[in-house]
Amino acid sequence: MIEKFKEAALVAGQEAMKIYETDFMVEDKEDGSPVTIADQAAEDVIIKILGEAFPDLTVIGEESTAAGKVPETCNRFVIVDPIDGTKEFIKKNGEFTVNIGLIEGGVAIAGVVYAPALGELYWGDCHNGAFKATVENNKIVSTKPIRSRGLDENNVVVLASRSHRTPETQSLIDRLGNVEVMAAGSSLKFCRLAEGAADFYPRLSPTMEWDTAAGQAVLTAAGGATIVSGGGPLLYNKRDETNQRAFENPFFIAVGDEQIISRFSLKSGW
């Protein structure tokens, strides 16, 4: 299944790059967030490839959901963000990703994250670990296993959203003291943790399940964790009777090494 996810992500990334290299139009969704034709084109490709390969597997897509097409979920389903970091896509800074995550029993157990403009492909699952590949001309040319790093209290690197940093997030970063802050866009923040390039990613602003599932799966496979206030893991398939808050995440922190939680007294929340 992970191989088919990788194939779908590569093809979707190729479609996105065709649009990325043009003077594309930008529209606003009902929630005010931006969207381009690349979002829909990439999602269509992913749903087609996965639908043909796994006809009985439910696929939840960000753009389909925004259009009101929300299928019933079950214990096992796929959740897709065709372009995570649309603001980065619009800015053309390369830091946008294609995301495909597999959910089972509310847990993100496998995922693929592809940054086509950077030629970086990440994947991981709960049984086989996490990996990073270099992509050239839409072909994987090299692959290596990755692992999150242990905490070094004298060299803590914190990742902060390039486009969504809130005062609450900055306040938490300030509590950590003398740390290096690295800005990054999209689900690449999870991947930077997974490959041992950083230690801590606080997200105290809204996200949806499709924003985080694939990246969380990669990070978990690499030895890290994604934690909500109170200490539990970030879980999936969050629904209510009205469906008004479907798939909305609580605030969370992602870490390469869970020791950072006790080191900075974050057990009781933030």
Side-chain angles (χ1 to χ4, degrees):
M1 183 175 283
I2 203 80
E3 292 303 313
K4 189 58 68 171
F5 284 9
K6 287 157 62 178
E7 175 191 334
L10 288 171
V11 176
Q14 190 173 39
E15 290 299 308
M17 287 303 296
K18 291 177 184 177
I19 298 164
Y20 183 74
E21 293 165 353
T22 68
D23 294 326
F24 52 84
M25 298 291 291
V26 180
E27 298 179 358
D28 288 332
K29 299 182 189 179
E30 289 186 6
D31 64 1
S33 62
V35 65
T36 72
I37 58 172
D39 295 80
Q40 190 64 61
E43 182 166 305
D44 288 346
V45 164
I46 294 169
I47 290 176
K48 181 177 184 295
I49 291 173
L50 298 186
E52 292 174 352
F54 313 108
D56 297 326
L57 190 61
T58 297
V59 179
I60 304 292
E62 177 183 9
E63 302 312 318
S64 299
T65 301
K69 302 174 184 177
V70 187
E72 289 296 320
T73 51
C74 51
N75 183 64
R76 195 167 191 251
F77 64 96
V78 174
I79 192 160
V80 171
D81 189 345
I83 303 288
D84 184 39
T86 300
K87 290 184 178 180
E88 317 311 328
F89 186 92
I90 294 166
K91 295 173 186 175
K92 296 194 175 184
N93 66 15
E95 293 185 338
F96 65 92
T97 54
V98 177
N99 298 264
I100 305 173
L102 178 63
I103 308 301
E104 188 170 290
V107 177
I109 64 168
V112 169
V113 176
Y114 179 37
L118 303 180
E120 297 179 358
L121 176 68
Y122 298 83
W123 68 91
D125 68 73
C126 57
H127 299 297
N128 299 299
F131 300 85
K132 178 182 181 180
T134 300
V135 178
E136 295 179 2
N137 298 319
N138 219 46
K139 302 290 185 182
I140 295 175
V141 296
S142 65
T143 301
K144 65 178 181 180
I146 55 175
R147 188 77 182 170
S148 61
R149 69 187 189 185
L151 178 63
D152 177 355
E153 294 186 14
N154 297 313
N155 182 31
V156 176
V157 177
V158 177
L159 290 162
S161 174
R162 193 177 294 282
S163 299
H164 301 278
R165 195 183 311 187
T166 63
E168 292 81 6
T169 302
Q170 189 59 52
S171 177
L172 176 56
I173 293 172
D174 292 342
R175 279 174 51 194
L176 305 181
N178 186 26
V179 298
E180 179 184 349
V181 179
M182 179 189 304
S186 72
S187 58
L188 279 171
K189 294 183 283 296
F190 286 103
C191 298
R192 298 292 180 246
L193 291 172
E195 65 183 334
D199 302 286
F200 184 46
Y201 162 38
R203 185 59 186 245
L204 309 188
S205 59
T207 59
M208 303 299 287
E209 292 185 8
W210 42 77
D211 297 319
T212 59
Q216 180 179 355
V218 172
L219 176 57
T220 302
T226 306
I227 300 164
V228 300
S229 183
L234 179 61
L235 297 175
Y236 291 82
N237 200 14
K238 296 181 285 293
R239 307 289 287 266
D240 61 23
E241 292 181 358
T242 66
N243 213 35
Q244 294 301 304
R245 300 175 66 84
F247 309 116
E248 184 176 353
N249 287 326
F251 294 168
F252 64 85
I253 57 176
V255 297
D257 182 347
E258 291 191 61
Q259 288 188 50
I260 202 167
I261 304 297
S262 56
R263 167 62 183 83
F264 293 106
S265 301
L266 299 173
K267 283 187 177 180
S268 60
W270 44 85

